[in-house]
Amino acid sequence: MNAARTLVASDLDRTLIYSAAALALTMPDHRAPRLLCVEVHEHKPLSYVTEEAARLLAELKSSSVFVPTTTRTRKQYQRIQLPGPPSKFAICANGGHLLVDGVSDVEWARSVTDRIATECAPLDEVRAHVRAVADPHWLRKERIAEDLFVYLVVERELLPGEWVKELAAWADPLGWTVSLQGRKIYAVPKPLTKSAAVREVARRTGAELTLAAGDSLLDADLLLAADQGWRPGHGELAEAGWLAPGTEALVERGVLAGEEILRRFLARAAR
């Protein structure tokens, strides 16, 4: 298959790139691989890949249409410097923004906000409810992302076990999805999906094969839409035992899962 006809859409945080905290998912210090920093914020290193993952990613980006696919805002995404040539396309804000050569596609963003306005309860209503039921004892930050969705930064060990489920049950009939990822809780409108943006990239590029990877509930639609997908042995999907046809559940956890996902991408694209 022509390399340009293979589209690889991958989540970033805790799928391909890992914070210092996420590095501790799997191994003792003496077995830790050599790392490359791929994100710096306020003069501090934030995210890493292994040196082997950096090599694999550079190879993948030169042999396919590689599309970073993240829930991060555009500003947060632009802090990341991935190895290899720059990606022509990137997906931010969980599909709310489709970047083309680093610039948000205006028509795409408008179509997303129009769908949200007609299908979902308003952001202000959801934000007010989240504020009302969150406990300052475990809540550290509350943020609005791109005027599209709300997320919380929490002390995970203090978070009541049923709180996320209760919020999800409240949000579901209003057209919103709730997801717990590490120390962040996201409330996201249902039409705001990574898969819809990936389909648009596939249409524009003429991709014949779409591969995907992700670790969270917000990645489930992406994995289901791909011809083949992979999820790591950690994360929200792994904790829920989530399985689906066409998606392989890897045993690798943490930063080594990022390496294995890249190997699987390269092997499948080569076939």
Side-chain angles (χ1 to χ4, degrees):
M1 179 179 294
N2 187 316
R5 300 300 185 185
T6 300
L7 188 158
V8 178
S10 182
D11 176 50
L12 296 178
D13 293 282
R14 297 170 71 92
T15 298
L16 289 189
I17 70 174
Y18 291 81
S19 67
L23 291 173
L25 284 169
T26 54
M27 68 190 77
D29 290 347
H30 70 276
R31 293 185 54 208
R34 288 169 58 90
L35 300 172
L36 173 69
C37 179
V38 294
E39 179 186 13
V40 175
H41 181 52
E42 295 180 347
H43 310 293
K44 296 178 181 179
L46 286 189
S47 300
Y48 305 84
V49 296
T50 67
E51 288 188 346
E52 175 63 6
R55 183 190 69 79
L56 294 168
L57 182 55
E59 181 180 348
L60 181 67
K61 290 172 79 172
S62 65
S63 61
S64 66
V65 179
F66 179 78
V67 184
T69 308
T70 180
T71 307
R72 286 179 177 233
T73 65
R74 287 169 290 175
K75 184 177 179 180
Q76 291 167 338
Y77 165 70
Q78 287 163 353
R79 298 197 303 248
I80 300 171
Q81 301 295 321
L82 294 174
S87 296
K88 181 174 182 61
F89 298 98
I91 294 164
C92 296
N94 211 62
H97 286 281
L98 172 58
L99 305 188
V100 183
D101 295 323
V103 179
S104 182
D105 185 291
V106 175
E107 291 302 320
W108 176 258
R110 183 180 296 118
S111 70
V112 171
T113 55
D114 287 348
R115 281 197 63 196
I116 293 172
T118 58
E119 299 177 23
C120 306
L123 173 62
D124 288 346
E125 178 182 345
V126 175
R127 184 184 193 185
H129 178 82
V130 169
R131 283 178 162 179
V133 299
D135 188 336
H137 181 58
W138 46 258
L139 177 63
R140 294 298 170 260
K141 297 178 184 178
E142 180 261 345
R143 296 286 187 269
I144 295 295
E146 302 273 18
D147 291 323
L148 291 170
F149 60 90
V150 60
Y151 68 93
L152 309 178
V153 180
V154 304
E155 293 291 346
R156 181 75 178 262
E157 64 275 10
L158 301 177
L159 184 70
E162 296 300 309
W163 192 87
V164 174
K165 291 182 180 179
E166 291 169 0
L167 180 62
W170 175 86
D172 183 68
L174 300 179
W176 288 68
T177 296
V178 174
S179 174
L180 174 63
Q181 300 179 41
R183 297 177 59 238
K184 292 183 179 179
I185 300 169
Y186 293 88
V188 177
K190 290 182 181 179
L192 194 64
T193 64
K194 294 178 178 180
S195 60
V198 168
R199 289 190 192 97
E200 176 62 13
V201 176
R203 184 189 69 80
R204 296 188 188 193
T205 60
E208 298 173 357
L209 175 70
T210 298
L211 309 177
D215 70 301
S216 79
L217 179 62
L218 294 175
D219 296 312
D221 70 285
L222 173 64
L223 295 170
L224 290 170
D227 295 298
Q228 189 166 350
W230 293 268
R231 70 159 174 82
H234 64 262
E236 192 178 19
L237 294 178
E239 290 169 5
W242 186 89
L243 298 170
T247 297
E248 183 177 356
L250 301 178
V251 297
E252 289 82 3
R253 303 175 70 244
V255 70
L256 295 182
E259 283 188 12
E260 186 58 26
I261 286 167
L262 289 166
R263 291 190 189 96
R264 301 298 177 101
F265 281 152
L266 282 163
R268 181 63 183 88
R271 291 197 342 241

